[in-house]
Amino acid sequence: MDTRVETHEFQAEARQLLRLMVHSIYSNKDVFLRELISNASDALDKLRLAHLTDSDLPADVSDLHIALEADRERRTLTVRDNGIGMTRDEVVGLIGTVAKSGTAELLRQLEESKDAAASQDLIGRFGVGFYSAFMVADRVTLLTRRAGEESGTRWESDGDGTYTVEQVGDAPQGTAVTVHLKPADAEDHLFDYTDPWKIREIVKRYSDFISWPIRMEAERPDGESGTRSETETLNSMKALWARPRSEVKDEEYHEFYKHLSHDWQDPLETVSLRAEGSFEYEALLFLPARAPLDLFSRDAVSGVQLYVKRVFIMDDCRELMPEYLRFVKGVVDAADLSLNISREILQQDRQIQLMRRRLVKKVLSTVKGLMTSDPERYRTFWDQFGRVVKEGIITDPDNQRAVLDIASFASTHDADEPVTLRAYVERMKDGQEDIYYSTGQSRSVLENSPHMEAFHAKGYEVLLLTDPVDEMWVESVREYDGKRLRPVNQGDTGLPAEDDGEDGEKARTERDRQESDFTPLLSWLREQLADEVKDVRLSSRLTSSPACLVGDAQDLPPSLERMYRAMGQEGPPVKRILELNPGHDLVTGLRRAHAERAGDPALRETAELLHGTALLAEGGGLNDPARFARLLADRLARTL
């Protein structure tokens, strides 16, 4: 047998993570034991499933358990399991690297932000719970043998950027992690983790619900002067989701959630569900209090844990929860599914689809309940997950209305409080038939857009939609409660017409006069700007800006056009309509100048500048910024 000791360097991200651990950015160091026990529990789950699906697997499953071994003299604590174990390549691949894309960037952000809450979120989110041992250790040794393999692997590191690996022949099945503890330091929240009392406290707090026995040898009094050693089981091993909610304390739910998610905060809400009848299952789900760092990462682990008759099947069953609810954590335990069910079977299984529909409706109804019962917690939920949930408006037509009912949006009604569509409809002005919205990059850009001037003047509320997903869902939702959704930058605003009577008659007369006076200028501008716009006309929506660009109802919105272009999907450019404010000095001045000297080349430049400023005012981009800047500079120079 090859017993050479090989020395390797950690991957760059792993070295950076080790440095954060060694320098102890986390105040609660007790969680290292929670993480090691959680890893051991996962290994036992995987072995039981492997044995159930492959009865020929040469592995001992007669007494699966986790053992904690404390040695006060050597100052070591060992977490041992007889689970699935690892091969040498798995040890190097899983522990020597942090194999998740984007981790390096996230680590950089953590260091720069100095955000303690965000830093605490790191443990576990990228499969790095093992590294937490270096918070309390001078050195960590791992001994493991994969079930069915003849030889094992010893891994060791002191966290200085390198580790050693060697093959060993006498390793028992499973994995043992030995933590060579630093000296206790109460000021640094570094306790004596060889103390049986401290070990019991941590296990009871964090791991009481682990479904495998967690054992430790304990000294008991034996007679008047002697002691005897006996094996003590530290956890209750009760499946939390199978117990009536009335019998479970909130603290137990919270610790179970932390075990599942590796989050450091309590969940925002706990959702329990039990289905009985021809198809039985139990579910315990959690809504997190804040978005995980990898919420928008392509490699993020999502989905809930799937059990069948208390047997762990898979950790990330995406078939049970749609992508737009990927932040939901929890457990679903089915009574009738096959133990060797595969991903392909899951996608087609009718029972899985029934469970998924019921779980989604339960989550959405829970959020809707928060809107009335606890608005503050609902606001927290929507601030953290609203951008993701709105994806469901597009991707889940069966629940589109339910998602719309729980959604809230910024609006011109209140700068601080978002508004639901229901609340918007209830306070619509008399005669208002449409729900008005505007999409763009930021609230300030939208509020100051020329398209908003008529709505500000008439006191109409407008939804301000600034998330990228908003561009998509408003195209798929035509109405809500019979009220059509209408963009403010559309050619026809849909605003109620002028009132009848003397004032209305005067307004129509003035409008007809303006149309007649500006006809030559509008015709000339159509010719000059034919490559950029499809039409030029007078505007009824502008009060202070000289011009704006609007689109027809069937046109692709410019923001959506830019989004497709950014994704590499080039389409034909959409020409828009240039609207002019007949009451603005620039526009009236241009009309007079055109009537006096229509052939003046400077007027062509003014037309370009007018179109360019309209583009910039709505947050758009210029086709030739350099030319626009040169024309503007020349024109400014002439005024000095």
Side-chain angles (χ1 to χ4, degrees):
M1 180 182 298
D2 186 358
T3 60
R4 290 177 301 169
V5 178
E6 303 173 10
T7 300
H8 300 263
E9 287 191 0
F10 283 102
Q11 178 198 40
E13 290 91 338
R15 287 200 304 273
Q16 193 174 1
L17 180 57
L18 276 170
R19 181 165 54 81
L20 292 174
M21 292 295 181
V22 171
H23 290 286
S24 211
I25 60 173
Y26 306 103
S27 59
N28 185 6
K29 297 178 176 60
D30 292 357
V31 297
F32 88 93
L33 185 53
R34 179 189 75 182
E35 294 299 320
L36 296 182
I37 290 175
S38 181
N39 290 345
S41 174
D42 290 343
L44 294 169
D45 285 338
K46 290 174 182 176
L47 178 61
R48 180 168 66 168
L49 180 61
H51 188 263
L52 287 169
T53 55
D54 180 8
S55 57
D56 295 329
L57 181 69
D60 181 9
V61 295
S62 59
D63 182 27
L64 298 180
H65 65 279
I66 301 168
L68 305 181
E69 303 167 4
D71 188 327
R72 284 198 165 185
E73 292 185 4
R74 297 182 179 180
R75 292 211 40 81
T76 62
L77 176 63
T78 300
V79 180
R80 186 185 306 277
D81 69 74
N82 54 350
I84 193 71
M86 291 181 283
T87 64
R88 178 197 175 281
D89 290 343
E90 287 174 330
V91 169
V92 174
L94 294 173
I95 300 178
T97 64
V98 185
K100 302 289 182 182
S101 66
T103 307
E105 174 64 16
L106 287 163
L107 287 167
R108 183 189 63 77
Q109 293 176 1
L110 288 172
E111 284 198 315
E112 290 180 355
S113 68
K114 306 299 182 183
D115 184 343
S119 298
Q120 290 182 346
D121 188 52
L122 183 63
I123 284 187
R125 288 304 173 97
F126 292 89
V128 296
F130 172 81
Y131 293 91
S132 63
F134 286 95
M135 293 190 297
V136 300
D138 287 322
R139 180 162 47 97
V140 176
T141 303
L142 179 144
L143 181 64
T144 184
R145 178 171 68 83
R146 177 84 178 187
E149 299 283 332
E150 294 184 357
S151 62
T153 303
R154 177 181 285 113
W155 177 100
E156 190 168 84
S157 176
D158 58 7
D160 64 353
T162 63
Y163 60 91
T164 61
V165 178
E166 64 177 309
Q167 192 173 5
V168 293
D170 57 349
Q173 171 190 302
T175 301
V177 179
T178 299
V179 181
H180 301 263
L181 295 162
K182 298 175 182 178
D185 185 347
E187 291 186 2
D188 194 30
H189 304 282
L190 188 60
F191 302 103
D192 182 1
Y193 295 109
T194 64
D195 186 339
W197 177 87
K198 184 62 179 177
I199 295 173
R200 290 189 191 97
E201 178 197 40
I202 295 174
V203 171
K204 187 66 177 177
R205 178 185 303 169
Y206 297 121
S207 308
D208 191 56
F209 42 78
I210 294 292
S211 57
W212 304 104
I214 303 173
R215 298 171 183 166
M216 182 176 68
E217 292 296 317
E219 296 295 326
R220 302 295 188 193
D222 187 11
E224 294 184 358
S225 57
T227 60
R228 58 183 173 84
S229 178
E230 67 176 38
T231 302
E232 175 185 0
T233 299
L234 305 181
N235 60 322
S236 66
M237 296 180 291
K238 295 179 180 178
L240 211 60
W241 60 88
R243 294 163 55 187
R245 186 156 186 172
S246 59
E247 297 179 5
V248 183
K249 297 179 180 178
D250 287 343
E251 291 78 8
E252 294 179 273
Y253 281 135
H254 294 171
E255 292 307 327
F256 183 62
Y257 162 74
K258 293 172 184 176
H259 164 71
L260 291 174
S261 66
H262 300 280
D263 196 352
W264 290 62
Q265 287 187 327
D266 293 338
L268 187 70
E269 182 67 14
T270 301
V271 182
S272 58
L273 180 65
R274 182 187 300 269
E276 298 178 344
S278 58
F279 178 52
E280 298 183 355
Y281 61 91
E282 298 163 320
L284 181 60
L285 307 177
F286 300 94
L287 304 181
R290 62 190 173 92
L293 293 172
D294 59 350
L295 184 61
F296 292 98
S297 170
R298 181 175 298 178
D299 296 323
V301 175
S302 61
V304 297
Q305 290 188 353
L306 175 63
Y307 282 71
V308 176
K309 302 184 185 77
R310 306 290 188 271
V311 176
F312 173 80
I313 302 299
M314 64 182 65
D315 200 35
D316 55 340
C317 185
R318 301 188 179 195
E319 291 74 17
L320 284 171
M321 200 61 62
E323 187 71 11
Y324 71 94
L325 296 178
R326 57 186 176 269
F327 52 85
V328 174
K329 301 297 180 183
V331 167
V332 177
D333 191 352
D336 302 318
L337 290 175
S338 169
L339 289 175
N340 61 353
I341 193 165
S342 67
R343 291 280 187 191
E344 292 73 21
I345 295 174
L346 281 173
Q347 293 171 1
Q348 306 298 327
D349 190 273
R350 178 175 174 272
Q351 293 177 333
I352 289 288
Q353 298 306 314
L354 289 173
M355 281 195 292
R356 175 188 172 112
R357 285 198 288 270
R358 180 80 184 276
L359 293 172
V360 170
K361 289 185 181 299
K362 182 66 174 180
V363 170
L364 296 179
S365 65
T366 298
V367 175
K368 189 172 183 179
L370 285 178
M371 297 176 74
T372 54
S373 65
D374 198 331
E376 190 60 35
R377 280 200 296 160
Y378 163 76
R379 177 72 178 273
T380 298
F381 170 84
W382 194 255
D383 286 346
Q384 295 294 316
F385 302 106
R387 282 194 299 164
V388 178
V389 174
K390 283 188 287 188
E391 295 173 8
I393 302 174
I394 310 165
T395 61
D396 190 358
D398 292 339
N399 291 296
Q400 185 183 81
R401 175 57 189 249
V403 177
L404 285 171
D405 283 341
I406 67 170
S408 58
F409 312 94
S411 86
T412 55
H413 177 74
D414 191 311
D416 300 316
E417 288 297 324
V419 61
T420 63
L421 292 178
R422 166 62 53 198
Y424 182 104
V425 170
E426 289 176 351
R427 61 170 173 252
M428 285 172 60
K429 296 171 70 71
D430 291 340
Q432 182 180 349
E433 296 296 330
D434 302 316
I435 298 172
Y436 297 112
Y437 70 86
S438 181
T439 59
Q441 296 180 349
S442 69
R443 182 187 183 105
S444 61
V445 169
L446 295 180
E447 284 191 311
N448 295 304
S449 168
H451 300 121
M452 298 286 289
E453 292 176 7
F455 297 87
H456 286 316
K458 294 178 180 292
Y460 283 91
E461 182 176 2
V462 178
L463 300 179
L464 306 174
L465 310 179
T466 57
D467 292 331
V469 70
D470 292 330
E471 303 283 0
M472 309 293 291
W473 75 258
V474 293
E475 293 297 311
S476 64
V477 177
R478 295 303 178 186
E479 58 87 25
Y480 181 87
D481 272 4
K483 305 296 183 181
R484 186 171 67 162
L485 274 71
R486 186 190 290 268
V488 300
N489 62 351
Q490 204 173 76
D492 179 12
T493 63
L495 290 172
E498 299 289 346
D499 294 335
D500 293 333
E502 186 177 344
D503 290 341
E505 184 63 31
K506 287 182 178 179
R508 286 189 290 273
T509 301
E510 176 63 17
R511 184 72 177 180
D512 291 341
R513 185 190 64 78
Q514 290 175 340
E515 290 285 355
S516 176
D517 291 344
F518 280 86
T519 296
L521 175 64
L522 297 179
S523 299
W524 178 78
L525 284 172
R526 291 187 191 103
E527 296 176 4
Q528 299 301 312
L529 300 175
D531 293 338
E532 284 80 23
V533 300
K534 67 168 67 173
D535 193 13
V536 183
R537 66 192 184 197
L538 296 183
S539 176
S540 60
R541 77 183 73 221
L542 298 173
T543 60
S544 57
S545 299
C548 70
L549 289 162
V550 300
D552 283 334
Q554 68 275 13
D555 286 346
L556 189 70
S559 51
L560 200 55
E561 184 184 5
R562 289 193 294 271
M563 184 184 300
Y564 285 137
R565 192 178 299 120
M567 295 187 294
Q569 301 180 21
E570 286 287 347
V574 178
K575 289 185 179 182
R576 303 173 70 204
I577 300 167
L578 179 65
E579 288 193 353
L580 304 181
N581 179 0
H584 196 279
D585 290 344
L586 174 59
V587 177
T588 56
L590 182 58
R591 181 182 68 84
R592 288 193 302 269
H594 175 263
E596 295 170 0
R597 52 183 196 281
D600 188 348
L603 294 183
R604 163 68 189 181
E605 296 179 356
T606 303
E608 285 188 57
L609 290 171
L610 187 64
H611 175 256
T613 54
L615 265 177
L616 294 174
E618 67 174 11
L622 300 168
N623 291 331
D624 190 347
R627 175 175 172 79
F628 181 86
R630 185 172 62 254
L631 291 177
L632 182 60
D634 291 344
R635 191 59 57 90
L636 290 173
R638 296 174 199 168
T639 66
L640 298 177

